[in-house]
Amino acid sequence: MSAIGPSTRRPTRQRSAVVESLGAVADFVSAQDLHARMRAGGNAIGLATVYRTLAALAADGVLDVLRTADGEAVYRRCSTHHHHHLVCEVCGRAVEIEVPFLEDWAETVGGEHGFWNVRHTVEVVGTCTNCQTGKP
Amino acid sequence: MSAIGPSTRRPTRQRSAVVESLGAVADFVSAQDLHARMRAGGNAIGLATVYRTLAALAADGVLDVLRTADGEAVYRRCSTHHHHHLVCEVCGRAVEIEVPFLEDWAETVGGEHGFWNVRHTVEVVGTCTNCQTGKP
DNA sequence: GCGGAAATGAGAATCATTGTCAACTCGGAT
DNA sequence: ATCCGAGTTGACAATGATTCTCATTTCCGC
Ligand SMILES: [Zn+2]
Ligand SMILES: [Zn+2]
Ligand SMILES: [Zn+2]
Ligand SMILES: [Zn+2]
């Protein structure tokens, strides 16, 4: 939650493998999914390690995290600057978007209500062009 | 997902009990939590029913749903008009807020990327005044 | 090289959520 | 009032993501 620095975090084979594997995926993947992909690609790594590593990377701000409708956490390597996502509900394709005015506004409205350390999440979801076809 | 109408939905003791119990809670509660409260209050109801009812009410737009950091779904009876929330990460206190400009913006940015049926979620989280005290 | 802290991994444990299915209840038609 | 069929319920089992445990291994500074 707070900005606790990664006081001690060692580079390991698994850690870089996770980062690299993430780079090979265009959209958001779950820990389970990534683990399966890595195993399939001959990359030996434990499931628990994938979970721990993804959580650590997300805590370090290297990854973006969001939750699917059924509560599953999904991760994606992202550009470093603060941004948000436009996600297709059908195929999961995601586009990075920005909401300039919101950044200040969130801070302001939080302050107005006496809140500190204000953060925000914004997700815009819909159906992308590719997924329009078979819809009544 | 799709806008399937509640073709047949019968009023039952349990359904109204859930709605009433929700009214007695100020902030967001999980299905588990609500079920426990109802049982404790001498209100006999099955856990599965609480889950089903909350999901149904949320689908009908009677409830607001959001997810805690660890992925648990929490519900709250809400005013009918579209709005968002400012939630305390520590105690869970929630305030309804509005983001007028965002509504149009979401629609617009979705359209620009070829997305249809665009919806959005916005959550602002922080630490409320009451929860500031014991913090370094 | 050594020692200890950090990291790993296999499996068990946790826990929210969903599925199952027989029994029950509501509402409309008879 | 009675009957019928679909919606609803609830106890319990099953699922599935995430976390925990702990013995073993790896990394880093000395
Ligand atoms: Zn799509
Ligand atoms: Zn932002
Ligand atoms: Zn608080
Ligand atoms: Zn809105």
Side-chain angles (χ1 to χ4, degrees):
Chain A
M1 287 305 158
S2 37
I4 302 172
S7 49
T8 40
R9 190 154 289 170
R10 290 192 317 218
T12 67
R13 172 179 62 81
Q14 291 86 342
R15 182 171 302 269
S16 29
V18 164
V19 173
E20 187 179 0
S21 297
L22 270 173
V25 184
D27 290 313
F28 287 87
V29 282
S30 65
Q32 303 273 354
D33 193 359
L34 187 67
H35 178 247
R37 287 166 186 260
M38 295 182 71
R39 282 286 177 92
N43 212 331
I45 188 173
L47 176 58
T49 303
V50 174
Y51 270 102
R52 280 186 294 241
T53 305
L54 287 176
L57 290 173
D60 293 355
V62 180
L63 302 184
D64 264 0
V65 194
L66 55 86
R67 298 236 169 221
T68 65
D70 54 316
E72 194 178 11
V74 285
Y75 303 81
R76 187 170 88 164
R77 202 172 179 182
C78 268
S79 44
T80 56
H81 73 282
H82 180 86
H83 60 268
H84 303 280
H85 300 104
L86 171 61
V87 186
C88 173
E89 292 185 292
V90 182
C91 67
R93 193 161 68 84
V95 183
E96 285 190 10
I97 54 180
E98 312 213 7
V99 204
F101 49 80
L102 185 83
E103 312 305 324
D104 297 327
W105 171 84
E107 195 68 32
T108 303
V109 74
E112 286 174 357
H113 288 275
F115 278 60
W116 288 14
N117 289 93
V118 178
R119 297 181 296 99
H120 62 271
T121 58
V122 174
E123 295 300 332
V124 185
V125 299
T127 313
C128 78
T129 329
N130 292 335
C131 299
Q132 296 299 334
T133 31
K135 294 276 162 180
Chain B
M1 286 301 165
S2 38
I4 301 173
S7 49
T8 40
R9 191 154 288 170
R10 287 193 319 216
T12 67
R13 171 178 63 81
Q14 292 86 343
R15 181 171 301 269
S16 29
V18 165
V19 174
E20 187 179 1
S21 298
L22 270 173
V25 184
D27 291 313
F28 287 86
V29 282
S30 66
Q32 302 272 355
D33 192 359
L34 187 66
H35 178 247
R37 286 166 187 260
M38 294 181 72
R39 280 287 177 91
N43 213 330
I45 188 173
L47 176 59
T49 303
V50 173
Y51 270 101
R52 279 187 296 241
T53 305
L54 286 176
L57 290 173
D60 292 356
V62 180
L63 302 185
D64 263 0
V65 194
L66 56 86
R67 297 225 171 232
T68 64
D70 53 317
E72 193 179 10
V74 285
Y75 302 82
R76 188 171 88 164
R77 202 173 179 180
C78 268
S79 44
T80 55
H81 73 284
H82 180 86
H83 60 268
H84 304 280
H85 300 105
L86 172 60
V87 186
C88 173
E89 291 185 292
V90 181
C91 67
R93 192 160 70 85
V95 183
E96 286 191 8
I97 55 180
E98 310 213 6
V99 205
F101 44 79
L102 183 84
E103 312 305 323
D104 297 327
W105 170 83
E107 195 68 33
T108 303
V109 73
E112 286 173 357
H113 288 274
F115 278 61
W116 288 14
N117 289 95
V118 177
R119 297 180 297 99
H120 63 272
T121 58
V122 174
E123 297 299 332
V124 185
V125 300
T127 312
C128 79
T129 329
N130 292 335
C131 300
Q132 296 300 335
T133 33
K135 296 275 160 182

